[in-house]
Amino acid sequence: MIFQLNLPSQCSMKELLLSAFDCLRGDKMELLCVLLWRIWFHRNKWTHEKIWLDDNSCLAWAKQHLEDYKIASNQQIRPRIMIAAQPWKPPEMGMVKINTDAAWCRCMKKFGLGVVIRDHSGSILGSAATPIFSSVSVDVAKGWALERGAKLAMQLGFPTVKLEYDCLGVVTALQQQTHFVSELSFVFDSINEHCNAFQQFSFSYTPRTSNQVAHNLAKLTLSLADEQIWRGRGPDCIASMAIADAQSLIS
């Protein structure tokens, strides 16, 4: 016998557990908890899906599950390797770098698109905060942010640009000018069309940790009613971060 509890013919779950805590110790208490969990699973399968599971298998399953858990718990866990945040990297002299991002507010069904354009010294040359009410996917909104970045660079008259994005798969596809068959197809076709108007352009991947200035601007945009465009320093929330990035380049 696995264990025995002295209970009245009718008792509540609370009474059962209190009796178990008094009578059982260690492995037996653990097994009882797993067994009750499995019985509850069987009950839900029948109540909600009308699937009947063999009750005779409950005890064997509980024993095996508990054994597997203990084996997994005793295995040596490798320490997590912490990857240092990578700083923002400037473009080559004579070229500007466009960083973009999109933030989402579920309750308002609103996206904030953030665009930041900087030169080789880290100085902000232009930025845009574009609020959009939409229920598209985040990937599409991030694509819109890239497109807005290319448009802003054209409006400000920059002939050579580098667009940076924090999704490697998208960057690779844009670099190869892959034909997209998805909800992103029109967005990326438009991005390529805008970029072909520049004298020189390129796409590059950046880790999310290097895209914090554009990310913060995107979050700020959620509080705006209309698009705002800045030529030069930009709003204070990103200007201080850009200055810190620029100072890190010479430290």
Side-chain angles (χ1 to χ4, degrees):
M1 182 176 292
I2 302 302
F3 44 72
Q4 182 175 1
L5 300 176
N6 296 318
L7 298 170
S9 57
Q10 292 185 345
C11 71
S12 66
M13 179 60 70
K14 179 180 178 181
E15 291 172 328
L16 185 151
L17 291 175
L18 287 174
S19 178
F21 281 123
D22 289 336
C23 301
L24 303 179
R25 295 292 183 271
D27 292 348
K28 290 185 177 180
M29 188 63 203
E30 291 175 352
L31 179 58
L32 176 62
C33 291
V34 177
L35 181 59
L36 291 175
W37 175 38
R38 187 62 178 179
I39 292 172
W40 184 254
F41 175 79
H42 278 220
R43 176 261 182 198
N44 286 339
K45 275 289 185 181
W46 173 251
T47 302
H48 302 296
E49 302 177 38
K50 300 305 177 186
I51 298 176
W52 179 258
L53 299 176
D54 181 13
D55 290 337
N56 293 324
S57 66
C58 281
L59 182 58
W61 184 94
K63 288 181 176 179
Q64 185 62 52
H65 186 83
L66 190 58
E67 183 180 346
D68 292 343
Y69 171 78
K70 289 181 177 180
I71 292 173
S73 298
N74 291 329
Q75 289 179 349
Q76 185 176 3
I77 300 176
R78 294 181 180 180
R80 181 179 296 178
I81 299 174
M82 301 300 292
I83 301 175
Q86 297 185 29
W88 177 83
K89 295 181 180 179
E92 297 82 359
M93 186 174 294
M95 180 175 268
V96 299
K97 177 175 282 189
I98 306 169
N99 289 98
T100 68
D101 203 0
W104 163 244
C105 179
R106 184 184 301 273
C107 61
M108 294 190 294
K109 293 185 178 180
K110 180 181 183 180
F111 283 99
L113 311 184
V115 175
V116 181
I117 302 176
R118 287 183 274 184
D119 63 11
H120 66 279
S121 68
S123 299
I124 297 179
L125 304 179
S127 53
T130 308
I132 296 178
F133 289 91
S134 177
S135 297
V136 299
S137 70
V138 174
D139 287 338
V140 170
K142 284 178 171 282
W144 285 345
L146 271 175
E147 181 183 26
R148 186 67 192 92
K151 287 182 179 179
L152 181 62
M154 291 179 61
Q155 292 171 353
L156 298 180
F158 299 121
T160 56
V161 302
K162 175 177 286 188
L163 287 94
E164 216 169 45
Y165 193 64
D166 58 15
C167 177
L168 184 59
V170 170
V171 170
T172 301
L174 286 168
Q175 288 172 337
Q176 298 173 354
Q177 294 196 347
T178 304
H179 179 69
F180 298 93
V181 183
S182 70
E183 60 179 349
L184 298 171
S185 58
F186 294 109
V187 178
F188 290 145
D189 286 346
S190 178
I191 292 170
N192 280 317
E193 182 179 347
H194 287 301
C195 288
N196 286 329
F198 294 117
Q199 292 181 13
Q200 182 182 349
F201 75 92
S202 63
F203 298 102
S204 63
Y205 165 75
T206 184
R208 188 164 297 180
T209 54
S210 305
N211 201 33
Q212 291 302 305
V213 177
H215 178 67
N216 274 26
L217 182 56
K219 290 197 295 184
L220 169 70
T221 307
L222 292 173
S223 64
L224 302 179
D226 302 300
E227 181 180 58
Q228 294 191 30
I229 297 175
W230 297 267
R231 181 156 193 166
R233 186 173 181 270
D236 291 340
C237 72
I238 65 167
S240 58
M241 295 182 67
I243 291 172
D245 282 345
Q247 290 174 343
S248 69
L249 299 176
I250 58 177
S251 60

